[in-house]
Amino acid sequence: MGFLSRLRTAFTKGERPGLTADAPGLVVVAECFDDAEAASTALTRSGDFRAPDPAVLRHHLSLPVARVDEATAVVGQDGYTLRELGAGEAGFVLVVAARGQVVSALECSRERSRMVSLASRLGGDARGWDVLQPG
């Protein structure tokens, strides 16, 4: 394995491109919609979450309608897809940013932080996250 391959692997360690949000049979196995709850607590609380298995991590966001395209471009750089769920409060839309990866408390925490920052910069709000795995 060459230097660039090792470097790419180091920065994409948690990603598993084979599992996508469109994969059949996915069910929510863990979730956290409380800013005060640690990701480790949310994952431990779940009896269905299987730590070593591939999963889809979804972040639920409320964004201004006018900023959705910008958000799509930003999250797309990290392998996320952004999908609209429906209308939120006036001028806002509810969306999910989803990516297939191996999920850990560290990954959830880090990605939650990034999504909170993104939503804030765009004038929106990060509501929480959930993890899906095949049922």
Side-chain angles (χ1 to χ4, degrees):
M1 181 183 286
F3 173 75
L4 290 178
S5 295
R6 285 194 305 273
L7 186 61
R8 187 176 301 114
T9 300
F11 284 104
T12 60
K13 180 181 172 200
E15 295 179 30
R16 288 260 178 108
L19 190 60
T20 67
D22 297 327
L26 291 177
V27 295
V28 174
V29 295
E31 63 184 9
C32 182
F33 289 87
D34 178 358
D35 291 339
E37 184 177 29
S40 57
T41 304
L43 292 174
T44 301
R45 177 172 35 87
S46 169
D48 298 325
F49 174 64
R50 298 176 310 278
D53 294 349
V56 171
L57 178 60
R58 290 191 312 188
H59 299 276
H60 297 256
L61 310 170
S62 174
L63 299 173
V65 172
R67 307 296 296 269
V68 171
D69 288 342
E70 185 178 350
T72 301
V74 171
V75 300
Q77 294 173 11
D78 293 318
Y80 283 96
T81 58
L82 195 73
R83 295 213 172 90
E84 291 187 27
L85 296 178
E89 298 172 15
F92 285 80
V93 64
L94 301 175
V95 300
V96 290
R99 176 174 78 179
Q101 64 183 78
V102 174
V103 173
S104 68
L106 177 62
E107 282 290 313
C108 282
S109 197
R110 178 174 46 209
E111 294 302 310
R112 166 84 174 149
S113 241
R114 293 177 66 212
M115 292 297 169
V116 166
S117 176
L118 172 68
S120 177
R121 283 193 318 267
L122 297 177
D125 182 40
R127 303 277 174 106
W129 55 266
D130 57 18
V131 177
L132 294 88
Q133 289 181 312

